[in-house]
């Protein structure tokens, strides 16, 4: 009797057992067959990013060319100029101004705006009445759904010389002026309005993290005599620290990505010196002045710096706290 027959229980006629293929390809195919509905849902997302995120990356080549609409981007018709546009940007007067303003606005938003959703989530988590908590959540979520154009229109109305905010501040001795004509007030207006419009929506992820905290920890803390403040410091915050770190890493990657929509809708020529940022500078150079290659070079510089910041902060985080994006 052969060895294979002995392995099959001594029956010469029984087939040899099939060995399950454990290779990556085989496992991927089995998972695809088992969960094909989930993969079908994923297809539109993949197509979206392929079309609007990865396909346009080929256009980055014009940052190293003297390109105009109708001119070839590749091949014999392309006019390559190397790092000319980068050098022009680094040596221009606008480089220091837009970089300083971008960092100032972004860091100010990070310092004052990043903790705001965390604080709001902690406060909502302590509310005993579910109905009152839902009412507060609804009120603070509403500004997020207001169109940016409408939002900036409201800000313009509130801070003009006869606006509501200006009138209220006038009772405390502040001059009644159009605040958006004062360069020193642009950053506070931008940051405070950003907190107002985004704090509610930003708190959702922290509320989700708080819902996963083991309630037995609070019960044990109460038995030991810990009050609400001590419970927050020693239980609540440590439990949501991984979520905070991940959010901070992702926010750090946007240091130089201050959105141009809000800036363009709020700024004017009198406050360019404090309000002009990289994104609004790219908008003016690319769309208003039709300097496509120059604006692409500035945008590429912006993206490279952001990627470097994410990488560095992620590495520091993985070393210090063992929490990271990758």
């Amino acid at each position: 009797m052969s060895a294979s027959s002995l392995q099959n229980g001594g029956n010469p006629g029984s087939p040899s057992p099939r060995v399950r293929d454990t290779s990556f390809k085989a496992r991927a195919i089995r998972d695809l067959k088992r969960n094909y509905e989930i993969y079908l849902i994923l297809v539109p997302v993949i197509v979206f990013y392929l079309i609007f995120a990865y396909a346009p990356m080929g256009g980055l080549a014009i940052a190293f060319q003297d390109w105009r609409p109708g001119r070839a981007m590749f091949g014999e018709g392309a006019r390559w100029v190397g790092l000319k546009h980068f050098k022009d940007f680094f040596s221009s007067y606008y480089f220091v101004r837009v970089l300083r303003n971008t960092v100032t606005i972004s860091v100010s938003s990070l310092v004052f705006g990043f903790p705001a959703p965390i604080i709001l989530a902690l406060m909502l988590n302590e509310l005993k009445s579910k109905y009152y908590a839902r009412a507060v959540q609804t009120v603070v979520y509403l500004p997020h759904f207001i169109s940016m154009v409408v939002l900036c229109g409201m800000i313009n109305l509130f801070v003009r010389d006869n606006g509501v905010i200006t009138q209220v501040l006038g009772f405390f001795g502040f001059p009644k002026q159009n605040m958006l004509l004062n360069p020193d007030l642009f950053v506070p207006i931008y940051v405070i309005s950003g907190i107002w419009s985004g704090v509610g929506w930003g708190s959702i992820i922290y509320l989700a993290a708080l819902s996963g905290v083991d309630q037995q920890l609070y019960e044990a803390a109460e038995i030991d005599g810990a009050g609400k403040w001590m419970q927050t410091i020693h239980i609540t915050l440590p439990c949501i620290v991984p979520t905070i770190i991940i959010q901070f890493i992702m926010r750090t990657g946007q240091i130089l990505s201050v959105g141009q929509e809000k800036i363009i809708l709020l700024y004017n020529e009198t406050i360019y010196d404090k309000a002009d940022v990289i994104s609004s500078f790219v908008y003016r150079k690319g769309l208003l002045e039709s300097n496509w290659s120059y604006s692409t070079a500035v945008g590429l510089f912006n993206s490279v710096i952001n990627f470097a910041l994410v990488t560095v902060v992620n590495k520091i985080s993985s070393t210090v706290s063992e929490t990271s994006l990758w």
Side-chain angles (χ1 to χ4, degrees):
M1 186 178 293
S2 64
S4 61
S5 299
L6 293 174
Q7 292 175 354
N8 294 327
N11 186 2
S14 62
S16 301
R18 295 181 60 184
V19 179
R20 188 178 181 87
D21 190 353
T22 58
S23 64
F24 173 78
K25 181 179 180 180
R27 287 187 285 112
I29 293 175
R30 286 196 298 268
D31 188 68
L32 182 62
K33 292 179 179 178
R34 186 183 305 113
N35 304 305
Y36 70 93
E37 299 97 339
I38 299 176
Y39 287 103
L40 286 177
I41 297 175
L42 186 62
V43 168
V45 179
I46 296 176
V47 172
F48 173 85
Y49 278 99
L50 287 176
I51 295 176
F52 296 103
Y54 290 97
M57 286 185 179
L60 293 175
I62 68 176
F64 307 94
Q65 301 174 1
D66 185 13
W67 185 83
R68 294 290 183 274
R71 184 175 295 173
M73 189 178 299
F74 300 99
E76 296 181 357
R79 297 184 181 180
W80 297 92
V81 295
L83 301 177
K84 174 180 179 296
H85 300 299
F86 294 93
K87 294 177 181 177
D88 291 344
F89 176 57
F90 295 152
S91 60
S92 70
Y93 160 78
Y94 298 104
F95 173 70
V96 175
R97 187 179 80 175
V98 299
L99 184 61
R100 180 197 65 214
N101 294 342
T102 303
V103 173
T104 300
I105 292 174
S106 191
V107 171
S108 299
S109 300
L110 182 64
V111 172
F112 297 102
F114 184 79
I118 303 174
I119 297 172
L120 177 62
L122 293 174
M123 295 171 66
L124 291 174
N125 189 57
E126 294 298 327
L127 291 177
K128 300 299 182 183
S129 174
K130 294 182 179 180
Y131 297 103
Y132 182 67
R134 291 172 184 173
V136 173
Q137 285 178 291
T138 302
V139 171
V140 297
Y141 290 171
L142 283 178
H144 172 79
F145 298 99
I146 300 176
S147 167
M148 183 60 69
V149 176
V150 176
L151 182 69
C152 292
M154 293 171 62
I155 295 172
N156 274 284
L157 290 174
F158 291 161
V159 301
R160 65 197 322 177
D161 52 1
N162 59 349
V164 175
I165 296 178
T166 306
Q167 295 297 322
V168 172
L169 293 177
F171 287 109
F172 298 95
F174 289 90
K176 295 183 178 180
Q177 59 176 343
N178 189 335
M179 296 183 183
L180 286 177
L181 295 179
N182 187 339
D184 296 329
L185 296 179
F186 180 80
V187 174
I189 292 173
Y190 184 95
V191 173
I192 294 173
S193 62
I195 295 174
W196 168 60
S197 63
V199 65
W201 187 257
S203 66
I204 292 177
I205 190 169
Y206 298 109
L207 286 170
L210 288 170
S211 65
V213 179
D214 189 356
Q215 296 301 311
Q216 293 181 354
L217 297 175
Y218 294 111
E219 295 173 1
E222 288 182 0
I223 294 174
D224 291 338
K228 289 295 183 181
W229 177 250
M230 297 301 294
Q231 292 177 26
T232 301
I233 297 297
H234 297 287
I235 298 177
T236 307
L237 286 178
C239 287
I240 65 173
V241 159
T243 303
I244 295 174
I245 292 175
I246 294 297
Q247 291 296 309
F248 181 78
I249 295 173
M250 297 176 65
R251 180 63 183 83
T252 304
Q254 303 172 358
I255 287 291
L256 298 185
S257 296
V258 178
Q260 79 274 12
E261 297 92 353
K262 187 176 179 180
I263 295 290
I264 293 171
L265 290 169
L266 289 179
Y267 77 171
N268 53 74
E269 294 183 359
T270 61
I271 58 173
Y272 272 175
D273 189 56
K274 293 294 182 68
D276 195 20
V277 296
I278 292 177
S279 59
S280 60
F281 181 72
V282 169
Y283 164 79
R284 290 204 313 277
K285 286 292 182 181
L287 295 181
L288 301 185
E289 300 180 15
S290 300
N291 197 341
W292 313 102
S293 295
Y294 186 87
S295 63
T296 304
V298 178
L300 180 57
F301 160 78
N302 186 43
S303 299
V304 170
I305 297 300
N306 282 335
F307 178 75
L309 287 173
V310 168
T311 304
V312 171
V313 175
N314 186 74
K315 180 62 177 178
I316 295 173
S317 177
S318 63
T319 303
V320 175
S321 65
E322 299 182 356
T323 300
S324 62
L325 291 174
W326 63 83

